[in-house]
Amino acid sequence: MMRIIRYFLVAALLLISIAGCSHFQGNRDVLFQTSTIGALLEGVYDGEITYAQLKRHGDFGIGTFNGLDGEMIGLEGRFYQIKADGKAYPVDDSMKTPFAVVNFFEPDKSAVLDKAEDLEQLEQFLDTLLPTKNIFYAIRIEGTFKYIKTRSVPGQNKPYPPLVEVVKNQPTFEFHNVKGTIVGFRCPGYVEGINVPGYHFHFITGDRKAGGHLLECHLEDVRIEVDYTSGFYMVLPKSEGFRKADLTRKKQKELKKVER
Ligand code: ZN
């Protein structure tokens, strides 16, 4: 009798563990991130993760490249590098990133926004779509934009300067009545030091030829999709640059300067 009960227990445990595994693999509501925004601010511009590896964790996202060589935007499984000339180039799988955030984009909510005169108004509207400010969101905004202003960053040489120094000379780009897509995330306030609290967007034109890190926008009649994301998975670099960086300083002011 005891033996039968033991067999039952073993079989039940096995079933539970198989179910658990498949549940984990099937869970695509996970934000994947490599390194931290704090490390990027400190000038840790080299990572070990290739875009081939990054793509296993998502088909949608934003980030940068080794040496801080431009802004990255990914959507529908295609990744682009927006260099300091403002132009978008396809990303080779062998390229590496020191900081990137991706997920598999599967929208939970969609809405149409008839008007936002600036980025602040857009963010206020987005706030009304969110059931809570305590989880992560991937956001995709598609349409024809009246006005878009972006920036990119030029590739850096060692010894790397901190990000706040680099953006002092950031090239900016303006677009008028342009078709395109805004891709980005909203992170909870408590991610400070790890990612950007609040919204962080990149933009790419409909013809996939230009874009950058979004600084300002004016829009009418755009379609918004939001993917609720309650999983978070971070991989830290093993590099000496990361190991030696001082990541204890608070950097809210620097972050504001580099993001806006
Ligand atoms: Zn950015």
Side-chain angles (χ1 to χ4, degrees), residues 62 71 151 200-202 213 259:
I62 59 177
E71 307 279 353
R151 72 104 195 273
H200 181 183
F201 294 118
H202 289 185
H213 170 102
E259 291 299 320

Side-chain angles (χ1 to χ4, degrees), residues 82 148-152 171-175 202-203 211-216:
I82 293 132
I148 289 274
K149 185 179 182 185
T150 65
R151 72 104 195 273
S152 188
T172 60
F173 312 97
E174 292 180 298
F175 305 85
H202 289 185
F203 173 79
H213 170 102
L214 187 71
L215 294 175
E216 192 48 274

Side-chain angles (χ1 to χ4, degrees), residues 11 34 52 155 191 228 241:
T34 173
V191 302
Y228 305 168

